[in-house]
Amino acid sequence: MKILIVEDDALHRAYLGEAVRAALPECDMVLEAADGATGEKLAREHASDRVVMDLQMSPRNGIEAARTIWRERPDTRILFWSNYADEANVRGISRIVPAGAAYGYVLKSASDERLRLALRSVFIEDQCVIDREVRGLQQKSTGAVSGFTDSEYEVLIDIALGLTDRTIARRRNLSLRSVQNRLQQLYEKLGVYQPNDGDAEARFNLRSRAVTVSLLRKLVNYTALERAEIELARWLEKDGNGPRS
């Protein structure tokens, strides 16, 4: 059995290597990569179908690397190991995981025992293992109270990228009114509003305020924006004329 560890921190890679050897005596080879691009290359060269993947890496993050690995080998089992349990990562993974694939999402704050159990559950027993904190975000993301629909989240990302209402409408195949309605729904769910204290002057730019609140609540992070910027560049190239207000 070959296990590929993709983690940019050398100490964390060493820790994961020890955890893998302790949890999986069946493992006869541990491969290591310090970034997503190298991880993709090693997974391809060694036909490794069991991967422990960090999420926050540069220049190629864990979600992008996992997307490539799953596209080439959909039966690959990936255990995501991250410091962060935020909605941006949860949504990013949910968009790329193949149907029926076994995967896990374990926080780096988890105990040694929890990590070893997750390794065996995902890589040997073919089970999905999601930390409770992450699972709560997954449930909220699927439309529970105060969660965002996929369409609302797309609009949130688009305003974070600086797109105008008309450009968002064209990109998402929505009417201008639909975009504006989704913005109002976002403001309500984020608690973004203009104070009604008799001051005639608006205190906030609501779009900018919504992005700030989203960053503070970890609904959006650098990885999500980096990925969105790449997707936007592809769309602009196809659109041909770039944004129009």
Side-chain angles (χ1 to χ4, degrees):
M1 180 192 300
K2 290 176 286 190
I3 306 293
L4 170 60
I5 296 172
V6 187
E7 164 63 64
D8 60 352
D9 185 280
L11 291 177
H12 285 171
R13 283 200 306 276
Y15 170 75
L16 284 172
E18 293 176 0
V20 164
R21 293 181 178 90
L24 302 166
E26 303 92 337
C27 176
D28 51 21
M29 180 182 293
V30 177
L31 306 164
E32 296 185 1
D35 59 75
T38 304
E40 293 172 17
K41 181 174 180 289
L42 289 178
R44 187 177 303 116
E45 291 177 349
H46 294 271
S48 177
D49 61 358
R50 292 172 173 85
V51 182
V52 184
M53 182 76 74
D54 186 22
L55 287 173
Q56 305 289 349
M57 295 181 290
S58 183
R60 192 157 175 81
N61 63 61
I63 290 178
E64 291 296 331
R67 185 203 303 268
T68 298
I69 291 171
W70 266 328
R71 184 172 61 242
E72 297 178 359
R73 296 175 62 91
D75 60 340
T76 300
R77 305 170 191 181
I78 299 180
L79 175 61
F80 294 98
W81 192 61
S82 176
N83 278 319
Y84 307 101
D86 54 40
E87 190 161 344
N89 285 334
V90 168
R91 285 181 180 270
I93 292 171
S94 68
R95 292 173 60 189
I96 63 172
V97 60
Y103 76 101
Y105 192 142
V106 175
L107 297 177
K108 292 184 178 181
S109 58
S111 66
D112 295 350
E113 181 180 357
R114 171 64 173 167
L115 176 59
R116 290 195 294 268
L117 177 62
L119 287 165
R120 288 206 65 83
S121 296
V122 175
F123 294 156
I124 301 297
E125 300 172 11
D126 202 23
Q127 296 180 355
C128 288
V129 177
I130 311 295
D131 272 359
R132 180 178 301 176
E133 185 175 351
V134 179
R135 180 71 71 185
L137 284 173
Q138 284 183 325
Q139 293 170 348
K140 188 172 74 172
S141 296
T142 57
V145 176
S146 79
F148 296 96
T149 66
D150 287 342
S151 183
E152 290 169 352
Y153 192 76
E154 287 175 349
V155 171
L156 173 61
I157 292 295
D158 283 349
I159 65 172
L161 293 173
L163 300 185
T164 65
D165 290 2
R166 292 186 183 278
T167 302
I168 295 172
R170 191 168 70 255
R171 185 186 185 196
R172 302 299 180 184
N173 295 316
L174 297 169
S175 68
L176 184 59
R177 176 62 61 86
S178 293
V179 172
Q180 293 168 345
N181 287 341
R182 282 165 175 76
L183 282 172
Q184 290 303 315
Q185 291 162 0
L186 282 172
Y187 298 154
E188 290 178 10
K189 291 180 178 181
L190 291 170
V192 172
Y193 58 91
Q194 297 289 3
N196 185 18
D197 56 4
D199 190 343
E201 183 179 354
R203 294 186 179 182
F204 295 118
N205 176 307
L206 294 183
R207 295 165 74 94
S208 298
R209 184 64 179 163
V211 173
T212 298
V213 172
S214 298
L215 288 167
L216 291 173
R217 288 175 51 180
K218 299 182 180 180
L219 302 174
V220 176
N221 61 16
Y222 175 84
T223 300
L225 291 177
E226 180 183 49
R227 185 170 62 252
E229 185 70 22
I230 293 171
E231 294 174 353
L232 175 62
R234 292 171 181 160
W235 178 80
L236 289 173
E237 185 176 353
K238 292 179 181 179
D239 188 55
N241 297 319
R244 297 186 293 269
S245 58

mmCIF file of all heavy atoms in Angstrom, residues 132-172:
data_model
loop_
_atom_site.group_PDB
_atom_site.id
_atom_site.type_symbol
_atom_site.label_atom_id
_atom_site.label_comp_id
_atom_site.label_asym_id
_atom_site.label_seq_id
_atom_site.Cartn_x
_atom_site.Cartn_y
_atom_site.Cartn_z
ATOM 1 N N ARG A 132 -16.862 16.706 13.481
ATOM 2 C CA ARG A 132 -18.174 17.239 13.845
ATOM 3 C C ARG A 132 -18.321 18.702 13.467
ATOM 4 O O ARG A 132 -19.350 19.128 12.939
ATOM 5 C CB ARG A 132 -18.400 17.063 15.351
ATOM 6 C CG ARG A 132 -19.745 17.592 15.834
ATOM 7 C CD ARG A 132 -19.922 17.341 17.311
ATOM 8 N NE ARG A 132 -19.851 15.911 17.629
ATOM 9 C CZ ARG A 132 -19.898 15.429 18.864
ATOM 10 N NH1 ARG A 132 -20.008 16.269 19.893
ATOM 11 N NH2 ARG A 132 -19.834 14.129 19.086
ATOM 12 N N GLU A 133 -17.286 19.491 13.717
ATOM 13 C CA GLU A 133 -17.349 20.922 13.398
ATOM 14 C C GLU A 133 -17.527 21.138 11.896
ATOM 15 O O GLU A 133 -18.290 22.006 11.466
ATOM 16 C CB GLU A 133 -16.071 21.617 13.879
ATOM 17 C CG GLU A 133 -16.080 23.124 13.712
ATOM 18 C CD GLU A 133 -14.847 23.765 14.304
ATOM 19 O OE1 GLU A 133 -14.079 23.067 14.996
ATOM 20 O OE2 GLU A 133 -14.643 24.973 14.078
ATOM 21 N N VAL A 134 -16.834 20.339 11.106
ATOM 22 C CA VAL A 134 -16.956 20.438 9.647
ATOM 23 C C VAL A 134 -18.335 19.960 9.204
ATOM 24 O O VAL A 134 -18.963 20.550 8.323
ATOM 25 C CB VAL A 134 -15.851 19.614 8.958
ATOM 26 C CG1 VAL A 134 -15.996 19.686 7.437
ATOM 27 C CG2 VAL A 134 -14.470 20.105 9.396
ATOM 28 N N ARG A 135 -18.815 18.896 9.819
ATOM 29 C CA ARG A 135 -20.132 18.353 9.470
ATOM 30 C C ARG A 135 -21.222 19.392 9.706
ATOM 31 O O ARG A 135 -22.167 19.519 8.915
ATOM 32 C CB ARG A 135 -20.426 17.107 10.299
ATOM 33 C CG ARG A 135 -21.761 16.471 10.021
ATOM 34 C CD ARG A 135 -21.789 15.793 8.673
ATOM 35 N NE ARG A 135 -20.982 14.573 8.642
ATOM 36 C CZ ARG A 135 -20.762 13.858 7.557
ATOM 37 N NH1 ARG A 135 -21.282 14.238 6.399
ATOM 38 N NH2 ARG A 135 -20.011 12.772 7.601
ATOM 39 N N GLY A 136 -21.102 20.164 10.782
ATOM 40 C CA GLY A 136 -22.089 21.206 11.045
ATOM 41 C C GLY A 136 -22.117 22.243 9.937
ATOM 42 O O GLY A 136 -23.180 22.712 9.537
ATOM 43 N N LEU A 137 -20.940 22.605 9.415
ATOM 44 C CA LEU A 137 -20.881 23.548 8.310
ATOM 45 C C LEU A 137 -21.486 22.955 7.048
ATOM 46 O O LEU A 137 -22.155 23.638 6.273
ATOM 47 C CB LEU A 137 -19.429 23.959 8.042
ATOM 48 C CG LEU A 137 -18.814 24.956 9.022
ATOM 49 C CD1 LEU A 137 -17.334 25.139 8.726
ATOM 50 C CD2 LEU A 137 -19.537 26.291 8.956
ATOM 51 N N GLN A 138 -21.255 21.668 6.816
ATOM 52 C CA GLN A 138 -21.846 21.002 5.657
ATOM 53 C C GLN A 138 -23.366 21.080 5.709
ATOM 54 O O GLN A 138 -24.019 21.378 4.713
ATOM 55 C CB GLN A 138 -21.410 19.534 5.598
ATOM 56 C CG GLN A 138 -19.993 19.314 5.110
ATOM 57 C CD GLN A 138 -19.665 17.839 5.012
ATOM 58 O OE1 GLN A 138 -20.121 17.039 5.823
ATOM 59 N NE2 GLN A 138 -18.866 17.482 4.030
ATOM 60 N N GLN A 139 -23.925 20.815 6.870
ATOM 61 C CA GLN A 139 -25.379 20.834 7.008
ATOM 62 C C GLN A 139 -25.933 22.233 6.807
ATOM 63 O O GLN A 139 -26.970 22.421 6.175
ATOM 64 C CB GLN A 139 -25.771 20.278 8.381
ATOM 65 C CG GLN A 139 -25.448 18.797 8.541
ATOM 66 C CD GLN A 139 -25.607 18.300 9.961
ATOM 67 O OE1 GLN A 139 -25.744 19.095 10.894
ATOM 68 N NE2 GLN A 139 -25.597 16.996 10.140
ATOM 69 N N LYS A 140 -25.228 23.230 7.325
ATOM 70 C CA LYS A 140 -25.684 24.607 7.146
ATOM 71 C C LYS A 140 -25.592 25.033 5.690
ATOM 72 O O LYS A 140 -26.442 25.749 5.175
ATOM 73 C CB LYS A 140 -24.859 25.555 8.020
ATOM 74 C CG LYS A 140 -25.397 26.978 8.039
ATOM 75 C CD LYS A 140 -24.689 27.836 9.054
ATOM 76 C CE LYS A 140 -23.298 28.208 8.596
ATOM 77 N NZ LYS A 140 -22.651 29.193 9.480
ATOM 78 N N SER A 141 -24.563 24.529 4.993
ATOM 79 C CA SER A 141 -24.344 24.920 3.600
ATOM 80 C C SER A 141 -25.389 24.351 2.658
ATOM 81 O O SER A 141 -25.554 24.827 1.536
ATOM 82 C CB SER A 141 -22.952 24.474 3.129
ATOM 83 O OG SER A 141 -21.948 25.138 3.854
ATOM 84 N N THR A 142 -26.089 23.309 3.083
ATOM 85 C CA THR A 142 -27.068 22.684 2.191
ATOM 86 C C THR A 142 -28.434 23.360 2.256
ATOM 87 O O THR A 142 -29.400 22.848 1.719
ATOM 88 C CB THR A 142 -27.233 21.191 2.542
ATOM 89 O OG1 THR A 142 -27.619 21.061 3.916
ATOM 90 C CG2 THR A 142 -25.931 20.440 2.308
ATOM 91 N N GLY A 143 -28.495 24.516 2.951
ATOM 92 C CA GLY A 143 -29.731 25.282 2.894
ATOM 93 C C GLY A 143 -30.467 25.394 4.205
ATOM 94 O O GLY A 143 -31.607 25.826 4.230
ATOM 95 N N ALA A 144 -29.852 24.999 5.306
ATOM 96 C CA ALA A 144 -30.499 25.160 6.616
ATOM 97 C C ALA A 144 -30.634 26.650 6.928
ATOM 98 O O ALA A 144 -30.100 27.503 6.242
ATOM 99 C CB ALA A 144 -29.674 24.457 7.694
ATOM 100 N N VAL A 145 -31.351 26.954 8.007
ATOM 101 C CA VAL A 145 -31.560 28.346 8.387
ATOM 102 C C VAL A 145 -30.224 29.051 8.530
ATOM 103 O O VAL A 145 -29.297 28.540 9.148
ATOM 104 C CB VAL A 145 -32.345 28.414 9.717
ATOM 105 C CG1 VAL A 145 -32.485 29.863 10.165
ATOM 106 C CG2 VAL A 145 -33.715 27.771 9.541
ATOM 107 N N SER A 146 -30.131 30.253 7.955
ATOM 108 C CA SER A 146 -28.955 31.125 7.944
ATOM 109 C C SER A 146 -27.852 30.624 7.039
ATOM 110 O O SER A 146 -26.821 31.262 6.902
ATOM 111 C CB SER A 146 -28.380 31.337 9.366
ATOM 112 O OG SER A 146 -27.597 30.223 9.780
ATOM 113 N N GLY A 147 -28.061 29.486 6.368
ATOM 114 C CA GLY A 147 -27.090 29.033 5.386
ATOM 115 C C GLY A 147 -27.346 29.706 4.050
ATOM 116 O O GLY A 147 -28.363 30.370 3.845
ATOM 117 N N PHE A 148 -26.413 29.530 3.114
ATOM 118 C CA PHE A 148 -26.540 30.145 1.810
ATOM 119 C C PHE A 148 -26.844 29.094 0.758
ATOM 120 O O PHE A 148 -26.271 28.004 0.777
ATOM 121 C CB PHE A 148 -25.241 30.867 1.430
ATOM 122 C CG PHE A 148 -24.898 32.011 2.334
ATOM 123 C CD1 PHE A 148 -24.029 31.839 3.399
ATOM 124 C CD2 PHE A 148 -25.457 33.254 2.125
ATOM 125 C CE1 PHE A 148 -23.715 32.886 4.240
ATOM 126 C CE2 PHE A 148 -25.151 34.315 2.958
ATOM 127 C CZ PHE A 148 -24.288 34.132 4.021
ATOM 128 N N THR A 149 -27.728 29.439 -0.168
ATOM 129 C CA THR A 149 -27.914 28.567 -1.324
ATOM 130 C C THR A 149 -26.678 28.698 -2.212
ATOM 131 O O THR A 149 -25.895 29.656 -2.089
ATOM 132 C CB THR A 149 -29.160 28.970 -2.126
ATOM 133 O OG1 THR A 149 -28.942 30.272 -2.697
ATOM 134 C CG2 THR A 149 -30.399 29.001 -1.246
ATOM 135 N N ASP A 150 -26.501 27.749 -3.129
ATOM 136 C CA ASP A 150 -25.356 27.809 -4.040
ATOM 137 C C ASP A 150 -25.389 29.094 -4.861
ATOM 138 O O ASP A 150 -24.353 29.729 -5.094
ATOM 139 C CB ASP A 150 -25.348 26.597 -4.973
ATOM 140 C CG ASP A 150 -24.943 25.317 -4.255
ATOM 141 O OD1 ASP A 150 -24.351 25.413 -3.158
ATOM 142 O OD2 ASP A 150 -25.215 24.223 -4.780
ATOM 143 N N SER A 151 -26.576 29.486 -5.293
ATOM 144 C CA SER A 151 -26.699 30.697 -6.106
ATOM 145 C C SER A 151 -26.323 31.940 -5.304
ATOM 146 O O SER A 151 -25.632 32.843 -5.806
ATOM 147 C CB SER A 151 -28.124 30.830 -6.646
ATOM 148 O OG SER A 151 -28.241 31.961 -7.480
ATOM 149 N N GLU A 152 -26.750 32.004 -4.057
ATOM 150 C CA GLU A 152 -26.390 33.144 -3.209
ATOM 151 C C GLU A 152 -24.886 33.179 -2.968
ATOM 152 O O GLU A 152 -24.260 34.242 -2.985
ATOM 153 C CB GLU A 152 -27.130 33.058 -1.871
ATOM 154 C CG GLU A 152 -28.623 33.316 -1.976
ATOM 155 C CD GLU A 152 -29.366 32.963 -0.709
ATOM 156 O OE1 GLU A 152 -28.759 32.370 0.213
ATOM 157 O OE2 GLU A 152 -30.570 33.266 -0.631
ATOM 158 N N TYR A 153 -24.301 32.004 -2.755
ATOM 159 C CA TYR A 153 -22.864 31.954 -2.498
ATOM 160 C C TYR A 153 -22.073 32.384 -3.735
ATOM 161 O O TYR A 153 -21.042 33.055 -3.627
ATOM 162 C CB TYR A 153 -22.456 30.545 -2.068
ATOM 163 C CG TYR A 153 -21.054 30.477 -1.499
ATOM 164 C CD1 TYR A 153 -20.791 30.933 -0.203
ATOM 165 C CD2 TYR A 153 -19.997 29.983 -2.248
ATOM 166 C CE1 TYR A 153 -19.508 30.883 0.322
ATOM 167 C CE2 TYR A 153 -18.715 29.925 -1.724
ATOM 168 C CZ TYR A 153 -18.476 30.372 -0.438
ATOM 169 O OH TYR A 153 -17.193 30.326 0.070
ATOM 170 N N GLU A 154 -22.547 32.007 -4.919
ATOM 171 C CA GLU A 154 -21.881 32.431 -6.153
ATOM 172 C C GLU A 154 -21.896 33.952 -6.281
ATOM 173 O O GLU A 154 -20.898 34.570 -6.678
ATOM 174 C CB GLU A 154 -22.574 31.798 -7.360
ATOM 175 C CG GLU A 154 -22.290 30.313 -7.518
ATOM 176 C CD GLU A 154 -23.096 29.689 -8.648
ATOM 177 O OE1 GLU A 154 -24.019 30.367 -9.162
ATOM 178 O OE2 GLU A 154 -22.797 28.532 -9.013
ATOM 179 N N VAL A 155 -23.023 34.572 -5.934
ATOM 180 C CA VAL A 155 -23.114 36.026 -5.994
ATOM 181 C C VAL A 155 -22.177 36.660 -4.971
ATOM 182 O O VAL A 155 -21.519 37.675 -5.245
ATOM 183 C CB VAL A 155 -24.568 36.497 -5.780
ATOM 184 C CG1 VAL A 155 -24.632 38.013 -5.626
ATOM 185 C CG2 VAL A 155 -25.439 36.058 -6.951
ATOM 186 N N LEU A 156 -22.080 36.069 -3.787
ATOM 187 C CA LEU A 156 -21.157 36.565 -2.770
ATOM 188 C C LEU A 156 -19.717 36.543 -3.287
ATOM 189 O O LEU A 156 -18.967 37.519 -3.132
ATOM 190 C CB LEU A 156 -21.274 35.720 -1.503
ATOM 191 C CG LEU A 156 -20.264 36.004 -0.387
ATOM 192 C CD1 LEU A 156 -20.407 37.435 0.110
ATOM 193 C CD2 LEU A 156 -20.436 35.017 0.761
ATOM 194 N N ILE A 157 -19.328 35.450 -3.906
ATOM 195 C CA ILE A 157 -17.977 35.350 -4.464
ATOM 196 C C ILE A 157 -17.781 36.389 -5.558
ATOM 197 O O ILE A 157 -16.725 37.040 -5.645
ATOM 198 C CB ILE A 157 -17.723 33.933 -5.021
ATOM 199 C CG1 ILE A 157 -17.669 32.907 -3.887
ATOM 200 C CG2 ILE A 157 -16.430 33.894 -5.829
ATOM 201 C CD1 ILE A 157 -16.505 33.087 -2.932
ATOM 202 N N ASP A 158 -18.805 36.587 -6.386
ATOM 203 C CA ASP A 158 -18.679 37.536 -7.491
ATOM 204 C C ASP A 158 -18.513 38.969 -7.005
ATOM 205 O O ASP A 158 -17.748 39.747 -7.596
ATOM 206 C CB ASP A 158 -19.895 37.431 -8.424
ATOM 207 C CG ASP A 158 -19.804 36.215 -9.336
ATOM 208 O OD1 ASP A 158 -18.720 35.591 -9.391
ATOM 209 O OD2 ASP A 158 -20.806 35.896 -9.998
ATOM 210 N N ILE A 159 -19.219 39.349 -5.936
ATOM 211 C CA ILE A 159 -19.023 40.722 -5.440
ATOM 212 C C ILE A 159 -17.666 40.846 -4.766
ATOM 213 O O ILE A 159 -17.049 41.918 -4.791
ATOM 214 C CB ILE A 159 -20.169 41.192 -4.509
ATOM 215 C CG1 ILE A 159 -20.223 40.376 -3.221
ATOM 216 C CG2 ILE A 159 -21.499 41.173 -5.229
ATOM 217 C CD1 ILE A 159 -21.221 40.936 -2.201
ATOM 218 N N ALA A 160 -17.152 39.750 -4.177
ATOM 219 C CA ALA A 160 -15.801 39.776 -3.610
ATOM 220 C C ALA A 160 -14.755 39.952 -4.707
ATOM 221 O O ALA A 160 -13.693 40.534 -4.477
ATOM 222 C CB ALA A 160 -15.536 38.493 -2.829
ATOM 223 N N LEU A 161 -15.060 39.465 -5.915
ATOM 224 C CA LEU A 161 -14.161 39.637 -7.063
ATOM 225 C C LEU A 161 -14.299 41.013 -7.697
ATOM 226 O O LEU A 161 -13.538 41.363 -8.596
ATOM 227 C CB LEU A 161 -14.458 38.565 -8.113
ATOM 228 C CG LEU A 161 -14.143 37.119 -7.724
ATOM 229 C CD1 LEU A 161 -14.645 36.162 -8.789
ATOM 230 C CD2 LEU A 161 -12.645 36.925 -7.496
ATOM 231 N N GLY A 162 -15.294 41.794 -7.235
ATOM 232 C CA GLY A 162 -15.457 43.152 -7.726
ATOM 233 C C GLY A 162 -16.351 43.294 -8.939
ATOM 234 O O GLY A 162 -16.342 44.344 -9.593
ATOM 235 N N LEU A 163 -17.158 42.284 -9.251
ATOM 236 C CA LEU A 163 -18.011 42.337 -10.435
ATOM 237 C C LEU A 163 -19.253 43.197 -10.185
ATOM 238 O O LEU A 163 -19.791 43.227 -9.081
ATOM 239 C CB LEU A 163 -18.442 40.929 -10.840
ATOM 240 C CG LEU A 163 -17.315 39.947 -11.196
ATOM 241 C CD1 LEU A 163 -17.903 38.635 -11.700
ATOM 242 C CD2 LEU A 163 -16.359 40.531 -12.219
ATOM 243 N N THR A 164 -19.694 43.877 -11.216
ATOM 244 C CA THR A 164 -20.920 44.667 -11.134
ATOM 245 C C THR A 164 -22.141 43.754 -11.209
ATOM 246 O O THR A 164 -22.045 42.589 -11.618
ATOM 247 C CB THR A 164 -20.998 45.678 -12.294
ATOM 248 O OG1 THR A 164 -21.099 44.951 -13.528
ATOM 249 C CG2 THR A 164 -19.764 46.567 -12.329
ATOM 250 N N ASP A 165 -23.297 44.303 -10.847
ATOM 251 C CA ASP A 165 -24.537 43.527 -10.915
ATOM 252 C C ASP A 165 -24.790 43.009 -12.326
ATOM 253 O O ASP A 165 -25.195 41.856 -12.518
ATOM 254 C CB ASP A 165 -25.728 44.378 -10.472
ATOM 255 C CG ASP A 165 -25.712 44.679 -8.981
ATOM 256 O OD1 ASP A 165 -24.758 44.251 -8.306
ATOM 257 O OD2 ASP A 165 -26.654 45.334 -8.496
ATOM 258 N N ARG A 166 -24.579 43.855 -13.325
ATOM 259 C CA ARG A 166 -24.851 43.450 -14.707
ATOM 260 C C ARG A 166 -23.903 42.346 -15.167
ATOM 261 O O ARG A 166 -24.317 41.426 -15.888
ATOM 262 C CB ARG A 166 -24.750 44.660 -15.638
ATOM 263 C CG ARG A 166 -25.856 45.677 -15.423
ATOM 264 C CD ARG A 166 -25.801 46.787 -16.467
ATOM 265 N NE ARG A 166 -26.821 47.790 -16.195
ATOM 266 C CZ ARG A 166 -28.085 47.684 -16.554
ATOM 267 N NH1 ARG A 166 -28.491 46.608 -17.204
ATOM 268 N NH2 ARG A 166 -28.956 48.645 -16.271
ATOM 269 N N THR A 167 -22.651 42.421 -14.754
ATOM 270 C CA THR A 167 -21.698 41.372 -15.129
ATOM 271 C C THR A 167 -22.039 40.060 -14.435
ATOM 272 O O THR A 167 -21.956 38.985 -15.035
ATOM 273 C CB THR A 167 -20.265 41.802 -14.784
ATOM 274 O OG1 THR A 167 -19.967 43.027 -15.449
ATOM 275 C CG2 THR A 167 -19.264 40.744 -15.236
ATOM 276 N N ILE A 168 -22.432 40.139 -13.163
ATOM 277 C CA ILE A 168 -22.854 38.927 -12.445
ATOM 278 C C ILE A 168 -24.053 38.297 -13.147
ATOM 279 O O ILE A 168 -24.116 37.076 -13.330
ATOM 280 C CB ILE A 168 -23.207 39.260 -10.977
ATOM 281 C CG1 ILE A 168 -21.964 39.742 -10.227
ATOM 282 C CG2 ILE A 168 -23.798 38.027 -10.279
ATOM 283 C CD1 ILE A 168 -22.258 40.276 -8.835
ATOM 284 N N ALA A 169 -25.004 39.129 -13.550
ATOM 285 C CA ALA A 169 -26.197 38.614 -14.230
ATOM 286 C C ALA A 169 -25.806 37.875 -15.506
ATOM 287 O O ALA A 169 -26.324 36.785 -15.790
ATOM 288 C CB ALA A 169 -27.151 39.766 -14.553
ATOM 289 N N ARG A 170 -24.906 38.462 -16.274
ATOM 290 C CA ARG A 170 -24.483 37.807 -17.519
ATOM 291 C C ARG A 170 -23.712 36.527 -17.248
ATOM 292 O O ARG A 170 -23.918 35.507 -17.899
ATOM 293 C CB ARG A 170 -23.625 38.779 -18.344
ATOM 294 C CG ARG A 170 -23.362 38.295 -19.766
ATOM 295 C CD ARG A 170 -22.785 39.368 -20.645
ATOM 296 N NE ARG A 170 -21.427 39.735 -20.308
ATOM 297 C CZ ARG A 170 -21.073 40.852 -19.687
ATOM 298 N NH1 ARG A 170 -21.985 41.727 -19.309
ATOM 299 N NH2 ARG A 170 -19.810 41.123 -19.429
ATOM 300 N N ARG A 171 -22.838 36.591 -16.276
ATOM 301 C CA ARG A 171 -22.011 35.414 -15.979
ATOM 302 C C ARG A 171 -22.847 34.255 -15.458
ATOM 303 O O ARG A 171 -22.600 33.089 -15.789
ATOM 304 C CB ARG A 171 -20.937 35.780 -14.952
ATOM 305 C CG ARG A 171 -19.969 34.643 -14.677
ATOM 306 C CD ARG A 171 -19.003 34.966 -13.571
ATOM 307 N NE ARG A 171 -18.025 33.883 -13.443
ATOM 308 C CZ ARG A 171 -17.236 33.705 -12.397
ATOM 309 N NH1 ARG A 171 -17.303 34.537 -11.371
ATOM 310 N NH2 ARG A 171 -16.386 32.697 -12.360
ATOM 311 N N ARG A 172 -23.835 34.543 -14.620
ATOM 312 C CA ARG A 172 -24.628 33.492 -13.966
ATOM 313 C C ARG A 172 -25.952 33.198 -14.684
ATOM 314 O O ARG A 172 -26.748 32.406 -14.182
ATOM 315 C CB ARG A 172 -24.912 33.896 -12.513
ATOM 316 C CG ARG A 172 -23.672 34.150 -11.674
ATOM 317 C CD ARG A 172 -22.794 32.928 -11.571
ATOM 318 N NE ARG A 172 -21.598 33.185 -10.759
ATOM 319 C CZ ARG A 172 -20.622 32.301 -10.570
ATOM 320 N NH1 ARG A 172 -20.692 31.110 -11.135
ATOM 321 N NH2 ARG A 172 -19.576 32.610 -9.831
#
